[in-house]
Amino acid sequence: MNTIEVSHLRKFYSVFKKEPGVWGSLKSVFKRRYEEVRAVDDISFNIKEGELVGFIGPNGAGKTTTLKCLSGLLYPDSGFVSVLGFQPWQRKPEFQKQFALVMGQKNQLWWDLPPMETFLLNKEIYEVPDEQFKKTLEELVELLEVEDILKIQTRKLSLGQRMKCELIAALIHSPKVLFLDEPTIGLDVIMQKKIRDFIKEYNQRYQATIILTSHYMGDVKELCQRVLIIDKGQLVFDGALEKIVKKYAEHKLISVVLSEKVSLEKLKQIGKVDKYDYPKVNFRIGKKQTSEITSKILEELPIVDLNIEESPIEEIIRDLFTKKNYR
Amino acid sequence: MKKYLQLAKITFEEYLVYRLNFYLWRFRSFIVFLTLLFFWLAIYGDRTEFLGYQKAQMITYVIGIAFLRTIVLGSRSADLGPQIRSGELTKLLLKPIKTIHFWFTRDVVDKGLNLFFTIIEILAIVWLLKLSFYLPYHLTTYFSFAVLSLMAIFLYFFLSFTLSVVAFWTEEIWATRWLFGVIFLEFLAGAFFPLDVLPSWLTKIIYLTPFPYLVFFPMKIWLEQLNSGEIIMAIFICLIWLIFFWWLAVFLWRKGAKNYGAYGG
């Protein structure tokens, strides 16, 4: 059974446009120009129980809008959305008790009180029994290593500490469905890694269904077998991460270690040189020419070592977003 | 129910964090009370009666204003408007908690805390200035006063909530709130002077609005200046307004929550 079903979801905003300056403001008093923004335009996908799915796309692609529709914050203009068998916008308590939305840029912790107060309030709001609360809290605190900060005022915590506590506040009712909107934004690499490990662990331990959006490909690469790519409100890819590479990678990287110096001109005759820093050369070549150019290199250059790699996923996705040639 | 208790607890703790803020607010309320009191004391001077009010009655009215201001006028739901605009409302909408209950719970704590200090302030002033204070003779007076005051609390809450909810549609909520707060409400509620000193054709119109039931009528009941027919009439009109604004608040809230843009993030 699918935990999340989305079919032909549409959400448009009308945005009021104002010209800059006082004159623009005065004009806007009498006449307002509204423009329609198609934040989400006909999106369909299904997610099974226990899946951890990455949701990627450039800024303003419609990721957050989709998540807001899934969590019942926004009322869809058309289409069908079902999460755990509920229609999210009805905001039924039975539904709300089973999911959580974590936004990296928003906090739910009470700013002037220690995180523990928020946890206790959430315990009551979600009607979590004492025993379960104690157990869950202990587990989460241990996984995230935050024992010593639970009683410090939230506003005095660092961003990383706060994010960890945000996660605990969101998970204290053991949600079956979890939407994470850029949970690692602004965190350093160590903290990113910790949060990532935690998400993975949570997914496996509780069989939770998770959708994760992130601008860091590292998050997606490490956590998600399946990704959804969205751009301009439309779903452009749905499948395994490796498939993106197969489908969209136009280049391969051949890195070579030379045994003696070769002129740049000569290297350029063989293929497109990405970087030359003796003894290392990187060629960036079309996928189809790989074997032809590899044999050329082996014949014509004095080499010690040769490696053929796919171009990094970040690059593929960047190319994809800038060129917009989805097939 | 337990969730609202916990919310009350956390709200209380928050007040303890914002101590200075709270003191300043108390100071301001106290000054408003004193200003009004001295203004009326000066007008009376050596007179014992003015505009149909005995001096003791007027002083009681002014003290009543301070009391009712605390428990009726003023609602934390004023914060809801900005929360709708900034998108902060999101975190509340995601949870199995009712927004109206949420704000009302915060109000109860706010009012309880303020009431505690208001009573101390009033007692201190009454004792220091040796003011004569009117205490009703009949037990039923206390009862009707309590009933109408309680209704006034809810009426004001739904009024304020309705105004905050308007933020779902308008961009500038503060203009409406200011106009509402200062001009209409405090004046028409009788929070400066008893309304029946105005020409009677005007008071008749004002009595049809919801405002005089917030301060003026409860005080008229306290001063035992209404007969039982008038008391029932006052409670009846107040009830109609209460039901109307209750319905309006819930209706607009439901409609607005559907319209909500969940901005930011």
Side-chain angles (χ1 to χ4, degrees):
Chain A
M1 203 199 105
N2 291 318
T3 302
I4 298 171
E5 283 177 34
V6 175
S7 88
H8 304 290
L9 173 67
R10 279 201 169 90
K11 179 75 198 175
F12 298 169
Y13 290 109
S14 74
V15 179
F16 140 61
K17 280 207 147 180
K18 186 182 88 64
E19 286 165 42
V22 177
W23 180 238
S25 303
L26 279 176
K27 261 172 42 187
S28 79
V29 173
F30 299 103
K31 202 179 163 196
R32 292 202 168 180
R33 260 178 48 222
Y34 286 94
E35 206 163 81
E36 194 178 58
V37 176
R38 298 171 163 234
V40 174
D41 191 3
D42 197 11
I43 280 185
S44 306
F45 60 85
N46 293 323
I47 294 175
K48 288 196 185 65
E49 193 189 343
E51 260 191 293
L52 204 172
V53 176
F55 201 29
I56 52 182
N59 283 327
K63 301 180 300 269
T64 306
T65 304
T66 308
L67 287 190
K68 282 175 179 168
C69 286
L70 287 176
S71 43
L73 283 171
L74 293 179
Y75 185 81
D77 287 327
S78 72
F80 173 79
V81 179
S82 152
V83 179
L84 293 161
F86 293 94
Q87 287 181 292
W89 57 266
Q90 290 178 335
R91 300 186 186 133
K92 291 212 170 117
E94 303 84 51
F95 164 64
Q96 292 176 323
K97 279 182 199 173
Q98 297 187 65
F99 92 98
L101 167 71
V102 179
M103 295 201 249
Q105 325 220 49
K106 279 246 162 87
N107 48 308
Q108 67 152 315
L109 297 169
W110 288 59
W111 195 241
D112 294 287
L113 298 171
M116 194 60 196
E117 297 291 342
T118 307
F119 303 161
L120 285 169
L121 180 63
N122 280 4
K123 166 190 181 293
E124 300 304 339
I125 289 180
Y126 288 102
E127 292 163 21
V128 182
D130 289 346
E131 275 304 298
Q132 193 195 327
F133 173 77
K134 231 181 109 192
K135 195 171 147 261
T136 315
L137 185 66
E138 252 167 42
E139 277 178 9
L140 293 174
V141 165
E142 196 200 304
L143 272 172
L144 288 165
E145 301 163 15
V146 287
E147 297 86 2
D148 26 331
I149 58 168
L150 296 183
K151 286 172 185 161
I152 300 174
Q153 255 187 348
T154 301
R155 62 183 165 143
K156 289 182 182 150
L157 300 178
S158 73
L159 184 64
Q161 290 172 323
R162 220 170 67 209
M163 199 57 226
K164 286 171 164 184
C165 292
E166 284 288 337
L167 279 171
I168 297 181
L171 299 175
I172 207 72
H173 60 291
S174 317
K176 284 191 203 139
V177 173
L178 188 56
F179 305 131
L180 299 166
D181 195 10
E182 314 216 13
T184 54
I185 200 159
L187 301 181
D188 66 43
V189 278
I190 301 163
M191 203 57 87
Q192 276 182 23
K193 172 88 177 104
K194 275 191 181 154
I195 300 273
R196 258 178 227 165
D197 290 346
F198 173 77
I199 294 169
K200 199 185 236 168
E201 174 75 25
Y202 188 83
N203 169 248
Q204 284 163 1
R205 204 187 272 196
Y206 301 100
Q207 269 303 297
T209 311
I210 300 177
I211 299 184
L212 169 86
T213 82
S214 182
H215 285 300
Y216 299 112
M217 277 314 294
D219 290 348
V220 179
K221 234 183 339 192
E222 200 175 312
L223 293 172
C224 313
Q225 274 109 43
R226 177 181 165 199
V227 290
L228 302 171
I229 300 181
I230 182 174
D231 191 20
K232 288 190 174 152
Q234 292 184 318
L235 197 65
V236 292
F237 178 85
D238 175 359
L241 194 62
E242 308 90 70
K243 270 203 194 148
I244 300 182
V245 180
K246 275 193 200 133
K247 194 170 171 190
Y248 294 113
E250 289 162 348
H251 299 95
K252 285 205 180 206
L253 288 178
I254 304 183
S255 53
V256 177
V257 179
L258 300 170
S259 57
E260 59 190 69
K261 265 197 169 166
V262 179
S263 72
L264 188 61
E265 282 70 43
K266 196 179 173 198
L267 292 174
K268 276 183 178 167
Q269 279 166 13
I270 295 174
K272 193 176 171 247
V273 178
D274 204 29
K275 207 172 129 195
Y276 181 31
D277 188 4
Y278 180 79
K280 277 188 180 168
V281 195
N282 287 344
F283 291 99
R284 190 173 140 91
I285 54 169
K287 220 172 170 180
K288 286 171 191 151
Q289 300 164 286
T290 317
S291 51
E292 181 196 332
I293 289 181
T294 315
S295 53
K296 241 185 184 173
I297 292 171
L298 289 169
E299 274 167 32
E300 295 176 24
L301 295 176
I303 64 164
V304 188
D305 193 13
L306 181 142
N307 240 319
I308 304 172
E309 287 163 30
E310 296 283 1
S311 32
I313 188 128
E314 284 87 349
E315 205 169 287
I316 298 169
I317 286 174
R318 194 169 56 228
D319 279 359
L320 203 59
F321 289 161
T322 39
K323 290 185 198 150
K324 313 271 186 195
N325 55 340
Y326 308 108
R327 282 158 291 174
Chain B
M1 191 59 208
K2 246 181 128 187
K3 57 181 90 168
Y4 299 104
L5 268 176
Q6 187 66 31
L7 177 63
K9 207 181 131 226
I10 211 172
T11 305
F12 181 71
E13 283 170 41
E14 221 181 19
Y15 273 85
L16 297 184
V17 177
Y18 303 127
R19 258 170 314 187
L20 182 65
N21 209 344
F22 184 74
Y23 292 147
L24 287 175
W25 171 251
R26 282 304 339 143
F27 183 66
R28 178 187 176 276
S29 310
F30 189 55
I31 294 295
V32 170
F33 167 53
L34 281 189
T35 311
L36 205 57
L37 184 68
F38 285 124
F39 170 76
W40 281 107
L41 284 174
I43 283 187
Y44 272 87
D46 292 330
R47 273 182 280 205
T48 52
E49 202 193 305
F50 184 62
L51 295 167
Y53 279 82
Q54 303 280 324
K55 195 175 178 184
Q57 286 177 327
M58 190 55 87
I59 287 166
T60 307
Y61 191 90
V62 172
I63 289 171
I65 289 174
F67 177 77
L68 289 170
R69 249 181 206 283
T70 305
I71 62 164
V72 177
L73 308 185
S75 171
R76 291 294 302 261
S77 67
D79 299 344
L80 174 63
Q83 283 206 353
I84 291 171
R85 295 208 45 202
S86 70
E88 212 186 307
L89 180 67
T90 297
K91 60 184 182 189
L92 213 60
L93 279 183
L94 290 172
K95 292 181 181 153
I97 186 166
K98 294 206 167 79
T99 313
I100 293 183
H101 295 35
F102 176 89
W103 289 107
F104 194 75
T105 307
R106 305 236 324 145
D107 270 7
V108 169
V109 175
D110 180 275
K111 286 170 180 182
L113 262 172
N114 276 294
L115 185 62
F116 177 75
F117 286 92
T118 306
I119 288 176
I120 294 176
E121 287 160 19
I122 290 174
L123 288 178
I125 287 296
V126 169
W127 180 73
L128 275 175
L129 299 179
K130 304 198 169 32
L131 298 173
S132 43
F133 182 77
Y134 182 86
L135 280 174
Y137 295 110
H138 306 288
L139 214 63
T140 47
T141 303
Y142 293 94
F143 178 72
S144 348
F145 175 78
V147 169
L148 193 60
S149 301
L150 202 64
M151 284 167 67
I153 291 174
F154 283 100
L155 175 58
Y156 183 83
F157 174 75
F158 288 119
L159 256 167
S160 168
F161 195 87
T162 304
L163 274 179
S164 292
V165 168
V166 171
F168 279 122
W169 296 277
T170 64
E171 310 209 359
E172 53 283 326
I173 170 142
W174 289 107
T176 42
R177 231 181 209 289
W178 188 83
L179 194 74
F180 175 76
V182 177
I183 300 172
F184 279 116
L185 206 137
E186 308 226 322
F187 177 80
L188 295 178
F192 295 120
F193 55 83
L195 294 169
D196 50 2
V197 304
L198 294 169
S200 71
W201 63 269
L202 189 57
T203 54
K204 272 182 194 139
I205 299 172
I206 295 176
Y207 292 171
L208 291 176
T209 68
F211 311 111
Y213 302 92
L214 299 172
V215 174
F216 177 67
F217 275 105
M219 282 323 292
K220 286 297 269 188
I221 291 179
W222 182 271
L223 293 171
E224 301 190 310
Q225 289 180 339
L226 299 181
N227 61 40
S228 45
E230 287 167 329
I231 292 176
I232 290 169
M233 193 62 192
I235 290 180
F236 180 69
I237 297 178
C238 184
L239 186 67
I240 288 176
W241 279 118
L242 173 57
I243 292 171
F244 173 72
F245 276 104
W246 188 337
W247 171 82
L248 192 66
V250 172
F251 174 76
L252 287 179
W253 166 253
R254 292 217 176 116
K255 227 174 148 53
K258 224 171 161 182
N259 200 37
Y260 181 54
Y263 305 112

